[in-house]
Amino acid sequence: MTKHASIQTNIPGPKASDLLERRHRIVPDAVSYGLPTFAEKAEGAKITDVDGNTFIDFAGAIGTINVGHCHPTVKQALHDQVDQYIHTGFNVMMYEPYVELAEKLADLAPGAHDKKVLLQNSGAEAVENAVKIARKYTGRQAIVTFENAFHGRTLMTMSMTSKVKPYKFGFGPFAPEVYKAPFPYPYRKPEAMSEEEYCEHSIEEFKKFFLTEVAPETIAAVVMEPVQGEGGFIVPDPRFVQAVKVLCEEHGILFVADEIQTGFGRTGKYFAIDHSDVVPDLITVSKSLGAGTPISGVIGRSEVMDASGPGELGGTYSGNPLGCRAAIAAIDVIENEGLNERADKIGEIVKERFYRLSENLDCIGEVRGLGAMIAIEMVENRETKTPDKLLTQKIIAEAQRNGLLVLGAGLYGNVIRFLMPLVITDEELEEGLDLLEKAMKNCYEPQHV
């Protein structure tokens, strides 16, 4: 079998070392990096660095490359657009790609109601605008998010985010009228509760939240990730999601699905919220929508989106033509290459591998996820479920040294998550899983000899 990962030098190699020195002189240390090297080229599910080392990519630029690096269809769309114009400012001189992408997103989004679409630049900007839109429509101010949530790094989205370090520590004061409701974490439910009992308990806790934290008649929107991303790929019971939506409807609260990391094939559907059979009022999108270009959006009910007046929404680069063209091409790739179905297959392969491995490695607490949005929670042992952040870090570092790009996540920093491009070949996938399995055994078993 052909080896797809190829490590020729120490990491960093000589060229990367020179660049790393330059980087530390000019770029703030607060801008973190997972691997001390620099990309030279990328294609599909592989990245080659400046020293000729090739890595299998299970990180996908933090979930932005579902259609793969430099997909020919996306590249051609970008080249064609550059030959026409790069940017005119949609608020100054409009352009068709914005309208075409908006039409596609409205058609794909769940619900038979009339929809309109606002395009922006980044995921955080989409969430910020969803908050603005919800407040304008409802005339209310309060925003509810959930424990373990991540929504961005701007002031508002940082306020909505749950994890303190590294996202919020020392950056206050935060935006007012943001409240965090309890969110189910099935792996860490009380042992005495069944899954059904725990789901009912979580629903009751959410209802209680309206009594103890914030009055429902003051809430503009509840913002939920259908699968929590940075929180550790936590999948709520669909009944919980449905109950939250029903409560929102009862109290005139907008339900916002944050699909920035979960959308466009990652969970086996265009939108992860479809797994819960819930129709949101607003949906935020970004990341893999743009196949590596900056683009984001808010999809919403027409009457909600039209509550804001002329000039109240927009931005200089919002919905720029290059991002629009890349996104249109990416949606075509997902459809034409069956990447939603491919995500389900990838998920089956990954889960089967680590279910089997967990029989011998007590550090694998849980394997969970939807489609190809899979995570492994690492613990000291399955009896105590004590999070093992240090072991997780060692495994990731070992895997990266041997040619696999992979990321951590989770409130406790003890989750290994998979965000590989959905165009990854079976050979690349199996080799990447082999590298991760080897790293797990090398890092865990010596501690338990």
Side-chain angles (χ1 to χ4, degrees):
M1 184 191 300
T2 302
K3 286 290 184 182
H4 297 278
S6 176
I7 304 302
Q8 308 294 326
T9 71
N10 291 329
I11 307 297
K15 291 181 180 179
S17 294
D18 290 343
L19 285 168
L20 194 61
E21 184 177 343
R22 289 170 55 192
R23 178 251 189 255
H24 281 300
R25 283 200 303 266
I26 198 65
V27 179
D29 289 341
V31 180
S32 64
Y33 55 87
L35 191 66
T37 190
F38 294 77
E40 184 166 88
K41 64 178 181 179
E43 184 176 2
K46 294 188 288 189
I47 304 176
T48 301
D49 77 359
V50 291
D51 291 294
N53 301 301
T54 299
F55 300 83
I56 296 172
D57 185 7
F58 275 20
I62 321 181
T64 64
I65 310 292
N66 285 357
V67 301
H69 295 278
C70 295
H71 193 287
T73 301
V74 176
K75 285 201 300 183
Q76 188 60 55
L78 289 170
H79 284 303
D80 291 345
Q81 184 58 51
V82 166
D83 287 341
Q84 289 183 277
Y85 53 88
I86 294 175
H87 193 56
T88 63
F90 194 73
N91 300 100
V92 179
M93 173 70 77
M94 295 178 290
Y95 38 86
E96 185 180 0
Y98 189 119
V99 177
E100 183 179 351
L101 177 57
E103 290 170 339
K104 281 183 174 288
L105 291 173
D107 286 342
L108 288 173
H113 54 274
D114 290 337
K115 308 179 189 79
K116 291 193 175 182
V117 179
L118 167 72
L119 298 179
Q120 294 289 327
N121 303 290
S122 70
E125 197 172 5
V127 175
E128 291 255 359
N129 276 275
V131 169
K132 288 172 62 177
I133 291 164
R135 284 175 166 170
K136 192 76 172 185
Y137 176 75
T138 63
R140 303 172 180 180
Q141 294 186 340
I143 300 296
V144 172
T145 62
F146 292 90
E147 294 172 354
N148 301 325
F150 180 87
H151 296 289
R153 295 173 182 264
T154 59
L155 177 60
M156 184 64 195
T157 57
M158 183 171 54
S159 303
M160 297 166 68
T161 291
S162 185
K163 193 172 182 179
V164 176
K165 293 182 179 180
Y167 304 121
K168 302 173 70 169
F169 184 69
F171 293 128
F174 302 108
E177 291 298 309
V178 175
Y179 302 87
K180 293 179 185 65
F183 193 81
Y185 196 155
Y187 177 63
R188 298 195 172 276
K189 69 176 178 64
E191 291 293 333
M193 285 189 184
S194 67
E195 291 185 8
E196 185 171 345
E197 288 170 339
Y198 181 64
C199 181
E200 291 301 320
H201 170 75
S202 299
I203 293 168
E204 290 304 314
E205 286 294 294
F206 186 75
K207 292 178 180 178
K208 181 181 175 183
F209 176 82
F210 284 168
L211 300 175
T212 61
E213 297 296 328
V214 57
E217 58 266 30
T218 69
I219 301 171
V222 170
V223 185
M224 178 191 292
E225 298 164 276
V227 178
Q228 289 192 330
E230 302 297 318
F233 286 19
I234 300 171
V235 184
D237 190 307
R239 291 170 298 175
F240 175 79
V241 183
Q242 292 162 6
V244 171
K245 179 61 162 64
V246 168
L247 285 166
C248 286
E249 291 173 351
E250 288 177 358
H251 296 287
I253 302 167
L254 297 184
F255 183 96
V256 183
D258 183 341
E259 293 270 6
I260 288 161
Q261 189 166 164
T262 56
F264 301 96
R266 177 51 50 188
T267 69
K269 295 180 182 292
Y270 280 105
F271 299 97
I273 196 68
D274 283 337
H275 289 281
S276 297
D277 196 25
V278 164
V279 176
D281 301 295
L282 298 172
I283 304 173
T284 59
V285 294
S286 189
K287 285 193 180 281
S288 278
L289 169 64
T293 62
I295 188 78
S296 70
V298 182
I299 310 165
R301 296 182 180 277
S302 293
E303 67 272 20
V304 176
M305 300 293 285
D306 280 337
S308 302
E312 293 185 345
L313 303 173
T316 302
Y317 279 102
S318 296
N320 73 88
L322 294 176
C324 290
R325 283 297 181 204
I328 293 165
I331 292 170
D332 288 343
V333 170
I334 293 170
E335 184 67 27
N336 295 335
E337 298 187 13
L339 294 189
N340 284 312
E341 294 77 13
R342 177 61 177 162
D344 285 334
K345 182 62 177 177
I346 290 169
E348 290 172 7
I349 292 170
V350 173
K351 283 182 175 179
E352 193 278 331
R353 168 73 72 103
F354 289 101
Y355 286 152
R356 188 174 69 246
L357 188 61
S358 67
E359 295 174 2
N360 298 315
L361 292 183
D362 199 36
C363 59
I364 297 176
E366 184 179 46
V367 181
R368 59 175 176 258
L370 292 174
M373 193 171 183
I374 304 297
I376 304 170
E377 180 151 356
M378 307 302 296
V379 294
E380 291 181 3
N381 59 73
R382 281 196 290 274
E383 184 176 346
T384 65
K385 297 185 179 180
T386 302
D388 201 331
K389 180 179 180 179
L390 182 59
L391 175 61
T392 305
Q393 292 172 333
K394 287 180 178 178
I395 291 169
I396 290 172
E398 173 83 1
Q400 290 180 337
R401 280 193 296 269
N402 290 291
L404 178 69
L405 290 179
V406 66
L407 298 173
L411 181 65
Y412 307 105
N414 68 319
V415 173
I416 298 171
R417 55 176 160 166
F418 298 90
L419 289 166
M420 65 281 285
L422 302 178
V423 297
I424 193 169
T425 66
D426 287 344
E427 282 191 352
E428 291 166 342
L429 178 60
E430 292 293 350
E431 184 179 339
L433 295 176
D434 288 344
L435 289 169
L436 185 58
E437 179 177 335
K438 182 179 178 181
M440 282 186 173
K441 290 179 176 178
N442 287 346
C443 294
Y444 178 71
E445 290 181 345
Q447 303 176 46
H448 296 80
V449 172

